[in-house]
């Protein structure tokens, strides 16, 4: 744990993201992929991805539940844990090139720079570590392929015993970095290898619909960025792929009964006064579900 002043979020490095399996893999890239697979199968509510962009790799952590308490802290813990894992694999002096943090910059950002030993960009739309892609090819000295296969087999058994619901799978698909544009129900059905009507029946059995799940997921991200960052409404609107800020404001009001600006003002005010928990402002629709699907 990194010491921090009062009211500053503390970075924790003991989050249960890792397992022994990544350590047994042959390369750093295999280890990160194992971490992503294990967390996706056993840690519902967020996904880890490690895409490459030219000479850079981006290890990202993306919560996808619509109303997760403490999203900013959850992202910090995940980035700190991934950093600790990479230092265990690559040496204690390893550091990313850059850290992307989906929260507003705290009054004292020194603990972040001290822990990550890299520039930290606050007010970003996602949580990620950026580092050279060549690191993914680095061999792990004490790799144990046999132990890795045994661990993978056990994980598959656990996954088979606790399969994810269709709603959870859709939320994951909607928040993956490969989904640069909003996905239609038909596109998601194809991804899940089922007919669109079958998808609708499965969702109905879980008490929801594709439109409601898509709206909840979009609204959850909007609330996180409004409450935890200083991104402008135009930036948030673009992140959510609205055609313009006015369209975002209209949708947000339809979902919640209030405007994004008013919601942000109410959500941030308790932080500024030092309150530990923010009650639901009078007249605001409960944030658990959008007021009505759009």
């Amino acid at each position: 744990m990194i010491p921090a002043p009062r009211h500053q979020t503390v970075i924790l490095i003991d989050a249960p993201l890792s397992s022994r399996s990544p350590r047994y893999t042959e390369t750093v890239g295999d280890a990160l992929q194992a971490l992503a697979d294990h967390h996706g199968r056993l840690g519902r509510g967020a996904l880890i991805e490690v895409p490459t962009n030219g000479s850079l790799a981006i290890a990202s952590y993306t919560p996808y539940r619509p109303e997760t308490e403490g999203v900013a802290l959850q992202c910090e813990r995940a980035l700190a844990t991934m950093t600790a894992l990479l230092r265990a694999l690559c040496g204690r002096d390893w550091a990313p090139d850059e850290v992307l943090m989906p929260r507003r910059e705290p009054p004292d950002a020194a603990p972040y720079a001290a822990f990550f030993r890299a520039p930290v960009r606050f007010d970003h739309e996602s949580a990620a570590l950026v580092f050279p892609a060549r690191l993914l090819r680095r061999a792990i000295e004490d790799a144990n392929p046999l132990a890795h296969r045994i661990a993978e087999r056990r994980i598959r058994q656990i996954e088979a015993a606790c399969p994810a619901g269709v709603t959870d799978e859709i939320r994951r698909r909607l928040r993956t970095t490969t989904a640069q544009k909003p996905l239609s129900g038909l596109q998601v059905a194809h991804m899940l290898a089922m007919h669109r009507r079958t998808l609708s029946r499965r969702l109905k059995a879980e008490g929801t619909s594709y439109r409601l799940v898509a709206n909840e997921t979009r609204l959850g991200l909007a609330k996180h960025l409004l409450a935890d960052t200083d991104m402008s409404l135009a930036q948030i609107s673009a992140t959510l792929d609205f055609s313009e800020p006015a369209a975002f404001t209209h949708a947000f009001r339809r979902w919640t009964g209030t405007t994004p600006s008013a919601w942000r003002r109410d959500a941030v005010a308790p932080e500024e006064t030092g309150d530990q928990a923010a009650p639901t402002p009078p007249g605001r629709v409960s944030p658990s579900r959008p007021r009505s699907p759009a």
Side-chain angles (χ1 to χ4, degrees):
M1 179 183 297
I2 297 177
R6 187 171 182 265
H7 304 321
Q8 177 176 309
T9 302
V10 177
I11 301 177
L12 303 175
I13 62 172
D14 60 346
L17 287 177
S18 60
S19 68
R20 293 185 180 182
S21 183
R23 183 75 190 182
Y24 296 149
T25 54
E26 296 184 9
T27 67
V28 171
D30 293 337
L32 289 175
Q33 189 57 54
L35 177 64
D37 291 344
H38 298 174
H39 189 261
R41 293 168 181 170
L42 306 178
R44 313 291 190 209
L47 63 118
I48 295 173
E49 298 175 285
V50 193
T52 57
N53 184 3
S55 62
L56 295 178
I58 305 170
S60 65
Y61 177 86
T62 308
Y64 59 79
R65 289 289 173 84
E67 294 297 338
T68 303
E69 292 290 335
V71 175
L73 177 58
Q74 182 181 343
C75 290
E76 288 180 6
R77 293 183 63 177
L79 294 184
T81 300
M82 286 194 285
T83 299
L85 173 63
L86 286 165
R87 285 175 180 162
L89 298 176
C90 305
R92 296 177 59 183
D93 294 332
W94 181 86
D97 289 349
E98 189 176 37
V99 179
L100 309 180
M101 194 74 71
R103 61 154 291 172
R104 61 179 49 86
E105 184 171 356
D108 180 10
Y112 292 83
F115 176 79
F116 290 108
R117 306 174 205 152
V120 180
R121 286 178 52 194
F122 294 95
D123 287 323
H124 200 271
E125 65 191 56
S126 60
L129 302 176
V130 182
F131 52 88
R134 64 178 180 274
L135 182 71
L136 300 175
R137 299 189 295 273
R138 179 183 293 188
I140 297 175
E141 293 182 1
D142 55 350
N144 189 330
L146 176 59
H148 177 64
R149 287 195 297 271
I150 293 172
E152 289 289 332
R153 187 181 308 117
R154 177 55 181 155
I155 288 172
R156 285 194 293 270
Q157 292 172 346
I158 295 173
E159 181 187 16
C162 304
V166 176
T167 300
D168 193 78
E169 278 298 321
I170 289 177
R171 286 175 178 151
R172 285 174 55 83
R173 302 282 179 171
L174 291 172
R175 292 291 284 123
T176 181
T177 56
T178 59
Q180 298 298 325
K181 298 289 184 179
L183 297 172
S184 68
L186 182 60
Q187 289 174 311
V188 172
H190 286 165
M191 290 179 178
L192 298 178
M194 65 177 67
H195 195 278
R196 180 66 177 87
R197 287 195 294 269
T198 302
L199 177 63
S200 295
R201 287 197 299 270
R202 295 276 297 274
L203 287 171
K204 185 177 181 180
E206 294 181 12
T208 187
S209 67
Y210 179 79
R211 182 174 293 181
L212 182 57
V213 173
N215 284 346
E216 287 177 336
T217 304
R218 216 174 186 191
L219 176 60
L221 176 58
K223 287 183 174 181
H224 161 48
L225 297 178
L226 288 168
D228 296 324
T229 78
D230 286 327
M231 291 175 65
S232 68
L233 294 187
Q235 290 173 312
I236 296 174
S237 172
T239 298
L240 297 172
D241 201 53
F242 283 96
S243 58
E244 57 182 357
F248 168 52
T249 297
H250 177 73
F252 194 91
R253 185 191 292 273
R254 185 172 67 251
W255 290 336
T256 67
T258 189
T259 65
S261 297
W263 196 93
R264 166 177 270 173
R265 184 172 57 250
D266 292 337
V268 174
E271 262 184 35
E272 296 175 345
T273 59
D275 293 341
Q276 297 299 311
T280 301
R284 183 189 300 172
V285 176
S286 172
S288 61
R289 297 169 77 90
R291 171 176 285 187
S292 62

